[in-house]
Amino acid sequence: MDAQSRGRADNVDPADQWILNPATGEYELRLGPSAPQSPVPGPRRSGHPAYDAVPGRTRAPGREVPPPRRRGAPEVLPGRRGNRPAQRGPRARKALLWAGGTMAFVVLATGTAGYVYLKHLEGNVHTTDVGDAGSGNFSKDEAFNILVLGTDKRTGAGNEGYGDKNSVGHADTTILLHVSKDRTNATALSIPRDLIVDIPDCPTTLEDGTQKVIPGLQGARFNRSLGEGGRDPGCTMRTVEEATGIPVDHFMMADFNAVKTLTTAVDGVKVCLEHPVDDKQSKLRLPAGESTVAGEDALAFVRTRHSFGNEGDLDRIKVQQHFLASLMRKMSSSDTLTSPTRLVKLAEAATKALTVDTGIGKVSTLKDVALELKKVPPKNISFTTVPVKDNPAETVKATVVLNEAKAPQLFAAIANDVSLTEVEQRKKQEKTAVAARLKGTKAPASEVRVQVFNGGAPSGSAQQMLNRLQLEEGVSKSENAGNAPKTLKRTTLEYAPDQADQARRLADILGLSGSGMKPGESATNSQGLPAMTLTLGEDFTNAGAQLDGSTAGAPDVEKSTADKVECAS
């Protein structure tokens, strides 16, 4: 009988099979007396007289037998002095915190739990080979993007009443999770299922092992990128990358059971409502204010849309984001992380609920993913949605298209590893700095003399800026000076002390950040006159954008963070 089978035998709760050994401070897998015991790697105390000299008792491999206690006598463990109470040192605390990590559908890690249980968990996880659609390996030293997919396939007991009974498993809920390289922040980008996109051709490995290229679709709903025609998660990954320009490294896919089992494993998740809900379609009934939901109620909560906002998918996305933030808080809470029983149940639920790509298919790799996610503070995990607008081609509005005024800038921020929370903080700081810099007189725009260099911006940017300054802003004494001697990360205006009034005017026109204003030396323009130097850096996107740091950050999009409790309305 293998480890995986033994772990599931006789309906035994796996959490009850992990026992804290007080002599070692570590958890050990204790199976029933009828089952053979497998060795569990870790410190052993074989040969110690306190264990060997027990009449009528023997040590099973991997299991230590404690000595009998005399009635009324306090227990004195080896290595302990007198009757002092046991202290939880570093090893004991490590044992208590042997698992951790937060994400929408995974909390998974191991400390001293042992090889046997890891292999058991690995047997729970399903994998899909997506070929070159993603990254073959997971790196703990780089930023990474994971596509979290929730399908509407009605698998699992009790799910017959949800979704489309004929669904092959469309992309019902999709979140692109970006985790920064320095692990200080993360962005969870929701992608509406009714977004119109181009689905590319998709090389796919079928269930029988044969290869097939599934033809793409032009102008189709995003949710058709999964399931239909045999499309696997790799097809959805390719669709996301083509639509956003953001590379997708891995995927995690879960069905309806994931929400039910994960919320049950953590003893429920708190949700908040601005008004009571009695939804006959989802069968969700909750009062106004805070409630705790788990199992069927939790699934009904994330699927309900007729009770929120305009009863559309975009409003349901907001509710799901609030729910996932609450789930993250519960998973990372102290009462979860210090409960071995709850953690084992959580690990069981998470691994059974997941299908992942082969690049992260091992439990040891999933553990690494979770531990990297755990480093990100909840206050720096931002939830937002792809900026969209109603499809202008429809009379009856049923689908949406990208908002081209906002979406590209948001996609660029994520692709360039820019934190949405840091952008907001920086904007406040730079507004204060700009206000200080702009105190004093400002020269008329017609008196501002400046040379414009391209120092890392897209080709043609200097001429675009010159056109704006001369044709729109009245800065007639400006000129295109070509490429800068070196590349700059940030757009910078350098000026001499006697040009401060000109610098204040130009900064006012361009919305230039305080950190972008650099007192220095004057340059000489083509007419031999002193001029300031404006160098367009790598952060520059277009001549119409304000240079206040938002060019390198996020546009004005609605967002929330995982640390805040928000009520669905």
Side-chain angles (χ1 to χ4, degrees), residues 158-339:
N159 295 326
E160 297 82 3
Y162 295 108
D164 178 3
K165 66 179 180 180
N166 299 315
S167 177
V168 293
H170 294 112
D172 190 49
T173 299
T174 306
I175 296 176
L176 180 61
L177 179 67
H178 168 80
V179 181
S180 69
K181 182 176 180 178
D182 61 8
R183 307 299 188 251
T184 62
N185 64 89
T187 300
L189 177 68
S190 294
I191 303 174
R193 64 181 185 180
D194 296 326
L195 175 66
I196 297 299
V197 296
D198 291 336
I199 301 173
D201 294 344
C202 183
T204 305
T205 301
L206 303 180
E207 291 184 2
D208 60 5
T210 59
Q211 301 287 324
K212 177 183 178 182
V213 176
I214 302 173
L217 296 171
Q218 300 295 308
R221 272 183 166 92
F222 174 80
N223 69 340
R224 297 177 66 186
S225 65
L226 179 66
E228 186 175 304
R231 294 187 180 89
D232 65 8
C235 300
T236 309
M237 294 167 71
R238 296 176 194 274
T239 302
V240 170
E241 184 161 352
E242 182 163 306
T244 66
I246 303 170
V248 183
D249 301 307
H250 304 285
F251 84 87
M252 294 181 177
M253 182 170 66
D255 57 19
F256 290 156
N257 278 340
V259 175
K260 295 197 292 187
T261 57
L262 285 176
T263 53
T264 300
V266 296
D267 296 334
V269 173
K270 287 185 178 180
V271 296
C272 182
L273 300 175
E274 287 190 0
H275 56 78
V277 169
D278 186 358
D279 193 318
K280 295 181 180 178
Q281 291 179 292
S282 68
K283 299 180 176 60
L284 178 68
R285 297 185 64 184
L286 291 175
E290 283 195 350
S291 298
T292 298
V293 295
E296 295 290 346
D297 286 340
L299 180 58
F301 183 84
V302 297
R303 289 193 53 78
T304 295
R305 66 175 180 177
H306 297 288
S307 297
F308 303 118
N310 296 320
E311 302 186 14
D313 190 50
L314 295 178
D315 290 301
R316 184 175 69 161
I317 285 175
K318 294 178 185 178
V319 174
Q320 291 172 345
Q321 291 173 349
H322 299 337
F323 175 85
L324 291 177
S326 181
L327 179 58
M328 286 182 177
R329 291 193 296 272
K330 185 62 178 287
M331 285 178 170
S332 60
S333 65
S334 59
D335 61 340
T336 297
L337 295 179
T338 57
S339 169

